[in-house]
Amino acid sequence: MRYDFHAHTHFSDGMLSPEELVERAVEKNVELLAISDHDSISGIPQARDYAKNLKSDIVLLDAIELSAQSDFGEIHIVGLAIDITNCQLLKSIENQQQKRWRRVKVFEQKFQKLGVQGVFEELEKSCKQVVTRSHVARALVKLGYAKDNNQAFKKYIGKKGRVKAPTEWITMLDAINLIHSAGGIAILAHPTRYPMSNRRLGYLIEEFEIAGGDAIEMAYPSLSPDKKAWLEVQRKQNNLMASGGSDFHYPNLKWSDLGRFPAIDSDTPHVLKKIDIDAWR
Ligand code: AMP
Ligand code: MN
Ligand code: MN
Ligand code: MN
């Protein structure tokens, strides 16, 4: 079954509306799609309404990508197959979204000191709901302070950039518990993309499992075969399931289109096996 358990809409830092995302997933023959916006579930009802009226049998799973604080730095946790009406979840989402707006206000103060003008106004115009560093990067490009998003991250808001705003996200443990209380599966997103050594990543994966985490992403566009083999060792050691997704944000990135990522071996315990697909139809 062609699935994709990690994708974004314009409610966070994706470029497509929920309707356009579903449309594209159908075009790409994705049969099972989880919309996992950063700290938001707002695109899901729209996507669902749209999918209902399509001729396709695409099945949508409700999901989210939470930013969380671990002992090893900031991480992303996908909550898959969650109940998006869960009160605790909704309250935490609101909290995370407020933290994001506070963070960009700190960015703005620091930009002012560097003579970088107009970013906040741009964010207020361009941001639909959840404000992310992708929005900040796009604003910096639009205002001529960087030639592309990559440079905006390098120069300003990336790990080694000049503009920092420490944010106290929900903790890894609380995020996992929250996902569980909303009936979902907690998945450590794109493990090899965090800026840390393999040794620390190994510890992170161990801590994730100890905190109750269920799975790790073992298939996503930038994952090399070597890294995948290394991750498989960690996955096995920690008894975690595997998940996969494109982390789709916008169409012109050919290498991360919907449904496009390396396959997970069929004998690997997969989150797919935990999901009652008929219940989501
Ligand atoms: P935030 O959750 O607000 O910290 O924003 C993180 C998002 O920024 C990620 O989900 C990526 O989509 C994007 N991102 C992170 N690093 C880079 C980078 N170096 N270049 C382009 N986009 C990036
Ligand atoms: Mn993103
Ligand atoms: Mn992520
Ligand atoms: Mn993502």
Side-chain angles (χ1 to χ4, degrees), residues 8 13 38 134 247 249:
H8 297 275
D13 59 352
H38 296 286
S134 306
D247 201 1
H249 282 77

mmCIF file of all heavy atoms in Angstrom, residues 8 13 38 134 247 249, ligand 2:
data_model
loop_
_atom_site.group_PDB
_atom_site.id
_atom_site.type_symbol
_atom_site.label_atom_id
_atom_site.label_comp_id
_atom_site.label_asym_id
_atom_site.label_seq_id
_atom_site.Cartn_x
_atom_site.Cartn_y
_atom_site.Cartn_z
ATOM 1 N N HIS A 8 3.152 18.400 4.956
ATOM 2 C CA HIS A 8 2.737 19.711 5.494
ATOM 3 C C HIS A 8 1.819 20.478 4.558
ATOM 4 O O HIS A 8 1.957 20.387 3.344
ATOM 5 C CB HIS A 8 3.976 20.563 5.779
ATOM 6 C CG HIS A 8 4.856 19.961 6.828
ATOM 7 N ND1 HIS A 8 4.652 20.156 8.166
ATOM 8 C CD2 HIS A 8 5.923 19.131 6.739
ATOM 9 C CE1 HIS A 8 5.559 19.493 8.859
ATOM 10 N NE2 HIS A 8 6.348 18.851 8.014
ATOM 11 N N ASP A 13 4.301 25.163 7.567
ATOM 12 C CA ASP A 13 5.208 25.729 6.569
ATOM 13 C C ASP A 13 5.150 25.068 5.204
ATOM 14 O O ASP A 13 6.048 25.227 4.387
ATOM 15 C CB ASP A 13 6.648 25.773 7.093
ATOM 16 C CG ASP A 13 7.178 24.399 7.479
ATOM 17 O OD1 ASP A 13 6.393 23.438 7.491
ATOM 18 O OD2 ASP A 13 8.381 24.292 7.777
ATOM 19 N N HIS A 38 3.310 21.190 11.504
ATOM 20 C CA HIS A 38 4.017 21.587 12.721
ATOM 21 C C HIS A 38 3.014 22.179 13.719
ATOM 22 O O HIS A 38 2.396 23.217 13.436
ATOM 23 C CB HIS A 38 5.062 22.661 12.419
ATOM 24 C CG HIS A 38 6.168 22.206 11.516
ATOM 25 N ND1 HIS A 38 7.173 21.375 11.935
ATOM 26 C CD2 HIS A 38 6.441 22.480 10.214
ATOM 27 C CE1 HIS A 38 8.017 21.169 10.933
ATOM 28 N NE2 HIS A 38 7.597 21.811 9.878
ATOM 29 N N SER A 134 10.683 28.604 8.636
ATOM 30 C CA SER A 134 10.568 28.655 7.167
ATOM 31 C C SER A 134 9.932 29.977 6.744
ATOM 32 O O SER A 134 10.350 30.580 5.751
ATOM 33 C CB SER A 134 9.699 27.508 6.640
ATOM 34 O OG SER A 134 10.160 26.272 7.083
ATOM 35 N N ASP A 247 7.967 14.135 4.195
ATOM 36 C CA ASP A 247 8.152 15.464 4.792
ATOM 37 C C ASP A 247 7.915 16.518 3.707
ATOM 38 O O ASP A 247 8.632 17.508 3.606
ATOM 39 C CB ASP A 247 9.549 15.614 5.413
ATOM 40 C CG ASP A 247 9.606 16.723 6.454
ATOM 41 O OD1 ASP A 247 8.571 17.362 6.724
ATOM 42 O OD2 ASP A 247 10.706 16.966 6.987
ATOM 43 N N HIS A 249 6.835 19.566 1.633
ATOM 44 C CA HIS A 249 6.507 20.966 1.935
ATOM 45 C C HIS A 249 5.960 21.696 0.713
ATOM 46 O O HIS A 249 5.015 22.449 0.816
ATOM 47 C CB HIS A 249 7.733 21.723 2.450
ATOM 48 C CG HIS A 249 8.070 21.432 3.885
ATOM 49 N ND1 HIS A 249 8.691 20.284 4.285
ATOM 50 C CD2 HIS A 249 7.874 22.151 5.023
ATOM 51 C CE1 HIS A 249 8.857 20.304 5.607
ATOM 52 N NE2 HIS A 249 8.377 21.423 6.075
HETATM 53 MN MN MN B 2 8.880 22.213 8.089
#
